[in-house]
């Protein structure tokens, strides 16, 4: 079964009774399990951009600290 980001609620229903995770972690895991590799890459890029760590300026920030 090939899944995409729009299928994450289905995956979430399958893992919602897993112990040890809070609600937020279950949603994050369901989204990452449902995403295709390209969608996972785009989520990572979006997250890094939100922190200001993407691109040349982000590399300079990391190397200067």
């Amino acid at each position: 079964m090939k899944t995409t980001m729009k299928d994450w609620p289905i995956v979430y229903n399958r893992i919602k009774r897993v112990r040890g995770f809070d609600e937020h972690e279950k949603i994050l895991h369901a989204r990452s399990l449902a995403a295709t590799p390209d969608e996972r890459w785009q989520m990572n890029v979006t997250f890094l951009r939100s922190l200001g760590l993407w691109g040349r300026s982000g590399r300079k920030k990391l190397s200067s600290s």
Side-chain angles (χ1 to χ4, degrees), residues 2-21:
K2 185 175 179 186
T3 58
T4 61
M5 279 298 294
K6 66 181 181 180
D7 298 326
W8 78 263
I10 297 168
V11 177
Y12 173 75
N13 285 333
R14 292 181 184 168
I15 66 169
K16 70 180 174 183
R17 288 180 284 285
V18 172
R19 288 198 240 163
F21 292 133

Side-chain angles (χ1 to χ4, degrees), residues 24-40:
H24 181 70
E25 290 174 323
K26 289 178 188 177
I27 291 171
L28 286 176
H29 284 296
R31 289 183 67 209
S32 64
L33 287 171
T36 62
D38 290 333
E39 290 169 334
R40 281 195 303 273

Side-chain angles (χ1 to χ4, degrees), residues 34-50:
T36 62
D38 290 333
E39 290 169 334
R40 281 195 303 273
W41 176 255
Q42 191 58 43
M43 286 190 297
N44 288 330
V45 168
T46 304
F47 177 70
L48 290 173
R49 281 186 179 152
S50 72

